[in-house]
Amino acid sequence: MKQRVITAFALLALLIVVVWQIYTPFFTVVIAAFAAIAADEIMKCAKISNKFITIFGTVFAFFVPFFMNASSLEPLVKTDEWFLVINIVPRVIYIAVFVIACFLAMLKAYSHTKFEDVAIAIVASVIVPWCFSILVMLRDITGYKTQFGIYLIFYALISALVTDIGAQLGGMKFGKTKMSPNISPKKTIEGACCGIILGFVANCAALLLYDRFAQTPVPKNYTAILLGISPFVQFLGMMGDLTASVLKRNFGVKDFGKIFPGHGGVMDRFDSLMFTLVCTYGVAITLL
């Protein structure tokens, strides 16, 4: 428990620094580092022995967030300049090159490289980093240094992390009915309900604070939609957590990694966030 608390405070300190530097390249670098670590964790848990695939996949994952947003390096590199760089070649070409390179690596080392290794590498090095990249895309979804994107980031964070905390505390206090005993025996329906309630209340509070201090409040029609779908987004976060649990069971591991002592790896800590980020981003681009 002491180790978990110390790590939690360290993560909180990192969060404060990241928020402080959210409009600098440091924010994108941190996201890119987490994406690369998550990709590496998944491939190691899957026991992919092909060194080229694991190294190339980790490097590829690191660069994904930089290519998903033209403002990712502001103010170091201007948006217009970086836009030209990342659009020299259509981004789908980079993905195609990565996929082909992985298959060629499979052919070269067919004795110990399976198709499943390539499939896992694609998910770990393309899809997972893209989910992390949504943090950078949300930040600037209405333009560089516009506050609404910051609110959307915290909306996704609250829907994942606060709901998770509420589910844990609620499950310890009221948990009786197992939600998914074969996947995650400790999760209960009562805990999940507590998590959704706490997350919804936290999202309401965040919205009130944003409207109170932001230069431009959230439009009323957006408010109704964001709060209306909040329980659904929180539920998806729980499904993300369960999905990660299924993967760990398939891989035969307890945690994806050990970078956060007492908490596991990046994937252990942010599995639910990836689902809430995707949903939040989908709703945001639909509304805007």
Side-chain angles (χ1 to χ4, degrees):
M1 179 59 71
K2 180 180 179 181
Q3 192 178 52
R4 286 180 63 87
V5 172
I6 293 174
T7 302
F9 276 107
L11 286 171
L12 179 60
L14 177 61
L15 176 62
I16 292 172
V17 173
V18 169
V19 171
W20 175 43
Q21 296 292 314
I22 198 166
Y23 286 117
T24 71
F26 178 77
F27 178 70
T28 308
V29 169
V30 171
I31 301 304
F34 279 176
I37 293 169
D40 182 64
E41 288 175 347
I42 294 173
M43 289 187 285
K44 282 184 177 178
C45 286
K47 297 179 176 59
I48 297 177
S49 59
N50 191 305
K51 294 297 182 183
F52 174 83
I53 291 178
T54 55
I55 295 174
F56 186 37
T58 302
V59 173
F60 187 90
F62 178 81
F63 283 102
V64 168
F66 294 98
F67 281 75
M68 298 309 299
N69 181 11
S71 300
S72 60
L73 293 177
E74 281 276 6
L76 185 64
V77 180
K78 297 301 181 183
T79 300
D80 293 342
E81 296 174 358
W82 190 241
F83 177 82
L84 294 175
V85 172
I86 65 178
N87 286 283
I88 292 174
V89 177
R91 273 161 266 189
V92 68
I93 299 299
Y94 295 116
I95 298 175
V97 169
F98 174 76
V99 172
I100 291 172
C102 287
F103 277 117
L104 291 176
M106 180 187 72
L107 293 176
K108 186 176 185 299
Y110 66 90
S111 61
H112 64 274
T113 306
K114 302 178 181 178
F115 170 75
E116 291 91 329
D117 296 337
V118 175
I120 291 169
I122 292 171
V123 172
S125 304
V126 179
I127 296 178
V128 170
W130 177 80
C131 291
F132 278 97
S133 300
I134 292 175
L135 287 164
V136 185
M137 292 188 285
L138 282 178
R139 184 195 67 179
D140 304 320
I141 196 165
T142 54
Y144 181 61
K145 284 195 174 182
T146 53
Q147 296 172 327
F148 186 56
I150 306 300
Y151 164 72
L152 290 175
I153 289 175
F154 277 97
Y155 176 87
L157 285 169
I158 289 170
S159 298
L161 304 182
V162 175
T163 300
D164 184 49
I165 293 171
Q168 287 183 2
L169 297 176
M172 291 169 59
K173 182 69 175 179
F174 307 107
K176 292 182 179 179
T177 310
K178 301 294 184 182
M179 185 169 68
S180 185
N182 294 326
I183 299 176
S184 186
K186 293 184 179 180
K187 288 181 172 56
T188 63
I189 293 177
E190 293 82 4
C193 292
C194 290
I196 289 176
I197 292 171
L198 182 62
F200 179 77
V201 171
N203 266 328
C204 290
L207 183 60
L208 291 173
L209 289 172
Y210 177 82
D211 283 343
R212 173 68 176 81
F213 295 105
Q215 295 176 353
T216 305
V218 179
K220 297 299 182 184
N221 57 326
Y222 289 8
T223 299
I225 293 173
L226 288 170
L227 291 184
I229 67 168
S230 178
F232 174 71
V233 176
Q234 295 168 243
F235 174 76
L236 282 184
M238 293 181 181
M239 295 304 101
D241 192 12
L242 287 175
T243 299
S245 295
V246 169
L247 291 177
K248 285 186 282 189
R249 284 185 174 273
N250 288 341
F251 295 151
V253 297
K254 182 179 182 294
D255 294 316
F256 279 106
K258 299 179 181 179
I259 190 171
F260 302 132
H263 292 262
V266 171
M267 281 298 297
D268 296 293
R269 196 66 285 175
F270 299 108
D271 48 10
S272 57
L273 178 61
M274 289 194 296
F275 277 56
T276 62
L277 280 172
V278 171
C279 187
T280 301
Y281 183 68
V283 171
I285 59 176
T286 301
L287 291 175
L288 300 173

Short mmCIF file of all heavy atoms in Angstrom, two decimals, residues 165-176 186-192 194-195:
data_model
loop_
_atom_site.label_atom_id
_atom_site.label_comp_id
_atom_site.label_asym_id
_atom_site.label_seq_id
_atom_site.Cartn_x
_atom_site.Cartn_y
_atom_site.Cartn_z
N ILE A 165 -11.86 4.81 -9.54
CA ILE A 165 -11.70 4.98 -8.09
C ILE A 165 -13.03 4.73 -7.38
O ILE A 165 -13.10 4.03 -6.36
CB ILE A 165 -11.18 6.39 -7.77
CG1 ILE A 165 -9.74 6.55 -8.29
CG2 ILE A 165 -11.21 6.66 -6.26
CD1 ILE A 165 -9.22 7.97 -8.21
N GLY A 166 -14.11 5.30 -7.91
CA GLY A 166 -15.42 5.11 -7.32
C GLY A 166 -15.85 3.66 -7.32
O GLY A 166 -16.45 3.17 -6.35
N ALA A 167 -15.52 2.94 -8.41
CA ALA A 167 -15.88 1.52 -8.50
C ALA A 167 -15.10 0.70 -7.47
O ALA A 167 -15.66 -0.23 -6.86
CB ALA A 167 -15.61 1.02 -9.91
N GLN A 168 -13.83 1.03 -7.27
CA GLN A 168 -13.02 0.31 -6.28
C GLN A 168 -13.55 0.54 -4.87
O GLN A 168 -13.75 -0.40 -4.11
CB GLN A 168 -11.56 0.75 -6.38
CG GLN A 168 -10.85 0.23 -7.61
CD GLN A 168 -9.37 0.62 -7.63
OE1 GLN A 168 -8.87 1.26 -6.71
NE2 GLN A 168 -8.67 0.26 -8.69
N LEU A 169 -13.77 1.80 -4.53
CA LEU A 169 -14.26 2.13 -3.18
C LEU A 169 -15.67 1.59 -2.96
O LEU A 169 -15.97 1.03 -1.90
CB LEU A 169 -14.23 3.65 -2.97
CG LEU A 169 -12.84 4.30 -3.01
CD1 LEU A 169 -12.97 5.82 -2.87
CD2 LEU A 169 -11.96 3.75 -1.91
N GLY A 170 -16.53 1.74 -3.97
CA GLY A 170 -17.90 1.23 -3.85
C GLY A 170 -17.94 -0.27 -3.75
O GLY A 170 -18.74 -0.84 -3.00
N GLY A 171 -17.06 -0.94 -4.51
CA GLY A 171 -17.00 -2.39 -4.44
C GLY A 171 -16.53 -2.89 -3.09
O GLY A 171 -17.04 -3.89 -2.57
N MET A 172 -15.56 -2.18 -2.48
CA MET A 172 -15.07 -2.56 -1.15
C MET A 172 -16.16 -2.40 -0.10
O MET A 172 -16.24 -3.19 0.84
CB MET A 172 -13.86 -1.71 -0.80
CG MET A 172 -12.62 -2.01 -1.64
SD MET A 172 -11.29 -0.79 -1.42
CE MET A 172 -10.99 -0.95 0.35
N LYS A 173 -17.00 -1.39 -0.26
CA LYS A 173 -18.01 -1.08 0.75
C LYS A 173 -19.32 -1.84 0.52
O LYS A 173 -19.91 -2.38 1.47
CB LYS A 173 -18.29 0.43 0.73
CG LYS A 173 -19.30 0.91 1.77
CD LYS A 173 -18.75 0.80 3.17
CE LYS A 173 -19.71 1.40 4.19
NZ LYS A 173 -19.21 1.28 5.57
N PHE A 174 -19.78 -1.89 -0.73
CA PHE A 174 -21.10 -2.44 -1.00
C PHE A 174 -21.09 -3.67 -1.91
O PHE A 174 -22.14 -4.28 -2.13
CB PHE A 174 -22.00 -1.37 -1.66
CG PHE A 174 -22.07 -0.08 -0.90
CD1 PHE A 174 -21.41 1.05 -1.36
CD2 PHE A 174 -22.80 0.01 0.28
CE1 PHE A 174 -21.48 2.25 -0.66
CE2 PHE A 174 -22.87 1.20 0.98
CZ PHE A 174 -22.20 2.33 0.51
N GLY A 175 -19.92 -4.02 -2.46
CA GLY A 175 -19.87 -5.07 -3.48
C GLY A 175 -20.34 -6.44 -3.02
O GLY A 175 -19.86 -6.96 -2.02
N LYS A 176 -21.30 -7.00 -3.76
CA LYS A 176 -21.79 -8.35 -3.49
C LYS A 176 -21.94 -9.16 -4.77
O LYS A 176 -21.58 -10.33 -4.82
CB LYS A 176 -23.15 -8.27 -2.77
CG LYS A 176 -23.09 -7.70 -1.35
CD LYS A 176 -24.47 -7.72 -0.72
CE LYS A 176 -24.41 -7.16 0.72
NZ LYS A 176 -25.76 -7.14 1.36
N LYS A 186 -12.85 -9.40 -8.81
CA LYS A 186 -13.04 -8.38 -7.78
C LYS A 186 -14.06 -7.30 -8.17
O LYS A 186 -14.53 -6.57 -7.31
CB LYS A 186 -11.70 -7.71 -7.45
CG LYS A 186 -10.70 -8.64 -6.77
CD LYS A 186 -9.43 -7.89 -6.39
CE LYS A 186 -8.45 -8.82 -5.69
NZ LYS A 186 -7.19 -8.11 -5.30
N LYS A 187 -14.40 -7.21 -9.44
CA LYS A 187 -15.33 -6.17 -9.89
C LYS A 187 -16.77 -6.60 -9.61
O LYS A 187 -17.15 -7.73 -9.88
CB LYS A 187 -15.13 -5.87 -11.38
CG LYS A 187 -13.85 -5.10 -11.67
CD LYS A 187 -13.71 -4.80 -13.14
CE LYS A 187 -12.54 -3.88 -13.40
NZ LYS A 187 -11.26 -4.39 -12.89
N THR A 188 -17.54 -5.66 -9.08
CA THR A 188 -18.94 -5.96 -8.74
C THR A 188 -19.87 -4.94 -9.41
O THR A 188 -19.45 -3.83 -9.77
CB THR A 188 -19.16 -5.89 -7.23
OG1 THR A 188 -18.90 -4.55 -6.75
CG2 THR A 188 -18.24 -6.87 -6.50
N ILE A 189 -21.13 -5.34 -9.55
CA ILE A 189 -22.13 -4.45 -10.13
C ILE A 189 -22.36 -3.24 -9.22
O ILE A 189 -22.49 -2.10 -9.70
CB ILE A 189 -23.45 -5.21 -10.36
CG1 ILE A 189 -23.25 -6.29 -11.44
CG2 ILE A 189 -24.57 -4.25 -10.77
CD1 ILE A 189 -24.46 -7.15 -11.69
N GLU A 190 -22.38 -3.49 -7.91
CA GLU A 190 -22.56 -2.38 -6.97
C GLU A 190 -21.42 -1.37 -7.07
O GLU A 190 -21.63 -0.16 -7.05
CB GLU A 190 -22.66 -2.91 -5.54
CG GLU A 190 -23.90 -3.75 -5.25
CD GLU A 190 -23.76 -5.21 -5.69
OE1 GLU A 190 -22.66 -5.59 -6.16
OE2 GLU A 190 -24.75 -5.96 -5.57
N GLY A 191 -20.20 -1.89 -7.19
CA GLY A 191 -19.05 -1.02 -7.34
C GLY A 191 -19.12 -0.22 -8.63
O GLY A 191 -18.80 0.98 -8.65
N ALA A 192 -19.54 -0.88 -9.72
CA ALA A 192 -19.66 -0.19 -11.01
C ALA A 192 -20.66 0.95 -10.92
O ALA A 192 -20.43 2.04 -11.45
CB ALA A 192 -20.07 -1.18 -12.09
N CYS A 194 -21.52 2.63 -8.24
CA CYS A 194 -20.91 3.69 -7.44
C CYS A 194 -19.91 4.49 -8.28
O CYS A 194 -19.83 5.72 -8.18
CB CYS A 194 -20.20 3.10 -6.21
SG CYS A 194 -21.32 2.44 -4.96
N GLY A 195 -19.15 3.78 -9.11
CA GLY A 195 -18.18 4.45 -9.96
C GLY A 195 -18.85 5.38 -10.95
O GLY A 195 -18.39 6.51 -11.17
#
